Amino acid sequence: MGGRRIGRSGDRPELWAARAAVAERAVCARQLRRGLLTGRLTELDVWPAGRLRRGRRSPWRATLLDCAVDAWLRAPTADRQARLTGLVRGLRVRPNRLGNAELATLTLALHRAHSTAGARGRPALTKPALRRLRASWSDHAGGGLWSDEPGGRKDAVVNGAAALLFAQLATEGGEKADLHRARSTVDWVLHHLLEDGLVVTGLSVAPDGGVGAVDRTITLPGNAYLLGTCARLAVSTGERGWPTVTARLVTAVTDRLADADHVLRGSGPGPALGLLSRNLASAALALRDDPAAARAAQVVFGSAEAAWRHRAVARGGPLFGPEWTVPAISPTERPLAGDPGAPVPRAERQLSTQLAGWLALESAALLERAGFADRGSARRPRTL
């Protein structure tokens, strides 16, 4: 991607930075469209796009914004900042039409785009979204934010994303109570939704206001957001307990959600693997000298290497699969001869699948910039 450099100049791209740039160009070329008159950017939720899919709003704008911010942090150019501004301006949704989970993740991404990368444009969602999220806490089932209004459920994704947002706001001029909100929300998740070291999906609230049925399915996004929040609190508060909690979460994630080759195991289409990789990188940076930091970095690099090694080649560049341990297949390929009934793969068409791969590479590039050694890739030929 070209453009005038705002930050560092003359840097030679390292391996992961170069790979992340290739993924960035591919995803943006295939699945971003700019309005000729407005300059607003919209995304295609599938590629190649059929007639009926064009113009549909993608539910993955939050992850797309995160990828765009990470790309700007890797190499801050005027073009990348213009892309961020176009994405923000192209967002046309009303808070009252979103569930709390999408509202929390989108507000978190918008806040990061504005506060970290200086994206311009009216933050249409931020103020009403913050009011709603701050008001969504209740003492039912011991605390936590409601998943939807009205809902009867309290889920890990809503609470994890909101807690991370509150933790960021607490150090960036938010309300004084935001730090308390972040701590209380994390405490509630750890008390009610942590089983064998990992975060489960959520719970229902019983008619009497107590804890009802618990959904014990492991949630990758829920673990990602909780990990990111604890890492943020470890850095921003200076309180000794947060690095310990962060290290325990890293140990559980790397032990149970990664395979023997240190690759995060897939969960089908969606950005969850990328989110988990990104927040493992945040934990590695927060812990730095703790042995858990090396474990987190090992999984970040191992996952990025697997996603890259198993990529398919498509128009514009690499195409990632939903499972990083097996080769991706281009959706333009036909079924193998002799197997006419084989379905044409569709997961690779999803924007969310491509964003997960892009985010994995940006996470590895982040640790590369921070000086973490990529021992896994060093044993293999260092080529693009």
Side-chain angles (χ1 to χ4, degrees):
M1 174 133 187
R4 176 176 55 86
R5 290 290 292 269
I6 295 177
R8 299 162 303 193
S9 61
D11 293 350
R12 183 180 66 83
E14 298 294 338
L15 173 69
W16 289 111
R19 288 178 173 178
V22 172
E24 173 193 9
R25 285 194 296 270
V27 175
C28 292
R30 286 193 297 253
Q31 297 189 262
L32 281 188
R33 299 292 181 267
R34 184 181 295 276
L36 294 177
L37 297 179
T38 64
R40 296 170 184 163
L41 284 172
T42 56
E43 65 274 14
L44 302 176
D45 62 341
V46 296
W47 175 88
R51 293 179 181 177
L52 297 179
R53 306 292 291 193
R54 291 175 183 149
R56 282 188 55 175
R57 185 180 67 85
S58 166
W60 310 116
R61 176 61 64 100
T63 310
L64 179 56
L65 280 169
D66 278 336
C67 286
V69 171
D70 282 353
W72 185 89
L73 291 171
R74 167 172 46 82
T77 67
D79 285 349
R80 287 187 174 95
Q81 191 168 67
R83 180 200 296 149
L84 273 167
T85 298
L87 287 171
V88 171
R89 288 176 174 168
L91 189 63
R92 289 294 179 267
V93 295
R94 297 178 182 177
N96 60 3
R97 294 185 179 179
L98 300 179
N100 272 3
E102 190 173 359
L103 187 71
T105 56
L106 190 54
T107 305
L108 175 63
L110 277 170
H111 172 75
R112 185 166 176 252
H114 282 281
S115 64
T116 303
R120 295 181 293 274
R122 182 170 58 91
L125 278 175
T126 305
K127 290 184 178 180
L130 284 176
R131 284 196 298 268
R132 181 168 134 191
L133 291 171
R134 285 165 173 157
S136 290
W137 175 278
S138 81
D139 291 331
H140 299 81
L145 281 72
W146 292 106
S147 294
D148 292 296
E149 304 289 349
R153 283 189 57 80
K154 295 191 173 185
D155 293 338
V157 171
V158 173
N159 282 275
L164 182 52
L165 175 62
F166 294 148
Q168 291 183 0
L169 289 170
T171 56
E172 297 172 6
E175 293 184 3
K176 292 182 178 179
D178 283 331
L179 181 58
H180 174 71
R181 291 186 178 101
R183 289 192 186 108
S184 298
T185 306
V186 170
D187 287 343
W188 181 83
V189 173
L190 293 175
H191 184 71
H192 290 86
L193 299 181
L194 198 72
E195 297 193 4
D196 297 327
L198 291 176
V199 180
V200 298
T201 297
L203 55 81
S204 62
V205 177
D208 64 359
V211 175
V214 178
D215 183 346
R216 291 182 166 82
T217 307
I218 301 300
T219 165
L220 269 62
N223 279 280
Y225 287 123
L226 183 68
L227 187 57
T229 305
C230 293
R232 179 78 181 209
L233 292 171
V235 171
S236 63
T237 67
E239 297 168 356
R240 288 181 292 179
W242 291 115
T244 301
V245 174
T246 305
R248 287 174 181 166
L249 287 169
V250 166
T251 300
V253 167
T254 55
D255 281 350
R256 297 182 55 195
L257 300 182
D259 64 18
D261 293 323
H262 314 295
V263 179
L264 290 170
R265 291 191 290 269
S267 59
L273 287 179
L275 291 172
L276 192 53
S277 182
R278 180 63 178 80
N279 285 285
L280 277 171
S282 296
L285 294 174
L287 296 173
R288 183 59 78 165
D289 297 325
D290 191 290
R295 298 184 66 173
Q298 190 175 37
V299 171
V300 170
F301 286 125
S303 298
E305 180 67 37
W308 181 262
R309 187 176 350 115
H310 292 114
R311 72 196 184 279
V313 177
R315 190 184 75 202
L319 192 79
F320 303 104
E323 304 285 343
W324 293 340
T325 56
V326 297
I329 304 175
S330 172
T332 59
E333 292 181 15
R334 298 181 180 277
L336 296 174
D339 188 13
V344 177
R346 305 188 69 85
E348 284 84 350
R349 296 183 66 197
Q350 302 294 324
L351 174 63
S352 60
T353 301
Q354 301 314 306
L355 293 178
W358 179 8
L359 203 51
L361 300 182
E362 293 288 2
S363 303
L366 172 64
L367 293 186
E368 182 179 58
R369 294 195 303 277
F372 281 81
D374 178 4
R375 297 183 180 88
S377 291
R379 293 193 295 269
R380 290 185 275 270
R382 294 174 68 86
T383 62
L384 288 179

